[in-house]
Amino acid sequence: MKACAYARVSTDQKEQDNSYENQQEYFERRIKEKGYEYVDTYSDRETGTIADKRTGFQQLLYDAGIDKEIVYTPTKTGKNKKHELYYASPDREPLFDEIWIKNTSRFFRNTILSSTIINVLAEKQVYIYFESQNLNTKDVGSEIFIKLLSIFDEEESRDKSQKVQWGIARGKEKGVISSNSKLYGYTYSVENNELTVIPEEAEVIKLIFKLYSKGLGARRIVAELNDRGIK
């Protein structure tokens, strides 16, 4: 039996490196303790809803013998809607038999795609073991439970987002500034709840607005700023 692992790690670079090394070491040890052959640990930075941005996840599926196709369908607004289609490759055999993941929330928070990918992996006889919940997609009895957990994870993600938005809105009412130190044009003091204008950056912002008001688009504004030596 060959097994690999999948981990999602922090967006912070230093924290990401430490987290990845710790998870890789942990999964390698646990897989070998089970008597399986350890293959590799795939990882991505923290993002659970957009599959395209998860390069480690896409590589994992490719190595599992899964192919992906992007199709677009028209909508009533005239814009095309993007769809990701996953299917078992007839030409590639999987490099492993089992994928170890800490829990269902680390897998995928889009319930429909999550269920689809689990089923396509099963076609290639590749199964997922969710360690924290001790669930394996190979067990028929756990399939419904895993789908329920995926729904809970998806709802939890939405709930957190709504709570954050609610908190920001209430903060605005009280005059609390929601910002960070990377805000261009200002310095931000968390302690004093104050924004202080940076004069030279403020002039750049005024210039951007002026150029935009004259009908210049983003690319032309960027070109103009670059010509003036403003990065």
Side-chain angles (χ1 to χ4, degrees), residues 10-222:
S10 168
T11 53
D12 180 80
Q13 186 62 51
K14 185 176 180 181
E15 189 178 326
Q16 179 194 25
D17 293 339
N18 292 334
S19 178
Y20 174 71
E21 289 174 5
N22 291 337
Q23 291 189 58
Q24 182 182 35
E25 182 181 325
Y26 172 80
F27 278 121
E28 182 175 0
R29 175 172 52 82
R30 290 287 291 116
I31 288 171
K32 288 180 178 178
E33 285 175 355
K34 188 78 173 179
Y36 297 164
E37 179 184 340
Y38 170 77
V39 177
D40 198 0
T41 294
Y42 302 81
S43 71
D44 283 303
R45 296 189 179 195
E46 277 283 5
T47 175
T49 53
I50 305 174
D52 260 358
K53 293 184 178 180
R54 294 166 65 179
T55 55
F57 185 72
Q58 294 299 330
Q59 186 63 50
L60 169 72
L61 294 180
Y62 182 86
D63 290 347
I66 305 302
D67 284 334
K68 182 181 78 169
E69 183 180 352
I70 301 295
V71 297
Y72 295 89
T73 57
T75 64
K76 292 180 180 179
T77 61
K79 293 182 179 180
N80 290 330
K81 185 176 181 180
K82 181 180 176 181
H83 301 274
E84 299 171 27
L85 301 181
Y86 294 89
Y87 56 91
S89 170
D91 305 317
R92 284 195 328 281
E93 290 302 313
L95 302 182
F96 37 77
D97 309 293
E98 201 165 86
I99 302 166
W100 284 43
I101 302 176
K102 194 65 179 173
N103 54 53
T104 53
S105 67
R106 294 283 148 182
F107 179 54
F108 204 60
R109 289 181 185 145
N110 182 309
T111 312
I112 296 174
L113 269 181
S114 178
S115 178
T116 300
I117 291 169
I118 287 173
N119 292 332
V120 174
L121 285 169
E123 289 181 36
K124 299 295 286 187
Q125 295 186 316
V126 176
Y127 302 97
I128 305 171
Y129 174 57
F130 297 104
E131 190 193 30
S132 294
Q133 292 108 343
N134 193 27
L135 295 170
N136 197 312
T137 56
K138 190 174 184 178
D139 303 327
V140 178
S142 67
E143 183 178 354
I144 295 175
F145 189 36
I146 288 169
K147 288 179 181 178
L148 284 173
L149 287 173
S150 296
I151 292 171
F152 295 151
D153 292 333
E154 189 172 3
E155 288 303 314
E156 182 186 7
S157 178
R158 288 175 182 167
D159 183 56
K160 285 180 180 177
S161 177
Q162 289 172 354
K163 285 179 179 176
V164 169
Q165 294 301 320
W166 185 89
I168 291 173
R170 299 294 78 75
K172 283 181 181 178
E173 293 172 358
K174 296 177 181 178
V176 176
I177 299 170
S178 298
S179 186
N180 60 64
S181 59
K182 295 180 181 179
L183 179 65
Y184 190 83
Y186 295 90
T187 56
Y188 172 52
S189 171
V190 180
E191 295 79 10
N192 300 324
N193 186 42
E194 288 181 348
L195 290 172
T196 304
V197 173
I198 302 172
E200 59 271 22
E201 292 185 1
E203 290 304 313
V204 175
I205 294 170
K206 290 176 184 177
L207 174 61
I208 291 170
F209 273 82
K210 183 178 179 181
L211 294 171
Y212 183 76
S213 70
K214 290 182 177 180
L216 274 68
R219 291 184 181 179
R220 290 177 65 190
I221 292 174
V222 169

